[in-house]
Amino acid sequence: ALEWGSTDAESCIIKLSGNAVFTGTSGQGAVDDITEQRIYVLQCDMEAGNILTSSVTISIIPVWREF
C-alpha cells in the first residue's frame, strides 16, 4: 500500500510514469506488485499559491537462491 499526507495543501496528486494514480491531500491506496524500479511523484497545490513536489524511488533487490 502507498500512504501519503500533506499539511496546508488544497489538493494533491500522485503520479507514476506521468499518469495520475491517486488524488487527495492524504490517503492510502493499493498498488500492484512491484517487480521493477518505480518512481512515485507527489505534487500538491498549497494554500499559499505555490506548488510543492516530492518523489520517492522504490527499487527491488533480488533474492538469490541456489538450486
Side-chain angles (χ1 to χ4, degrees), residues 17-28:
S17 300
N19 299 313
V21 290
F22 300 109
T23 59
T25 56
S26 64
Q28 184 178 32

Side-chain angles (χ1 to χ4, degrees), residues 2 11 15 18 26-27 33 35 38 41 47 51-52 54 57 62-65:
L2 180 67
S11 64
K15 298 179 180 180
S26 64
D33 290 342
T35 58
R38 290 186 182 176
V41 177
E47 292 175 358
I51 297 173
L52 295 181
S54 183
T57 301
V63 177
W64 298 100
R65 294 184 183 181

Side-chain angles (χ1 to χ4, degrees), residues 22-53:
F22 300 109
T23 59
T25 56
S26 64
Q28 184 178 32
V31 296
D32 295 335
D33 290 342
I34 298 174
T35 58
E36 61 186 9
Q37 185 181 65
R38 290 186 182 176
I39 301 173
Y40 287 94
V41 177
L42 171 65
Q43 180 176 319
C44 294
D45 295 325
M46 305 304 290
E47 292 175 358
N50 55 330
I51 297 173
L52 295 181
T53 303

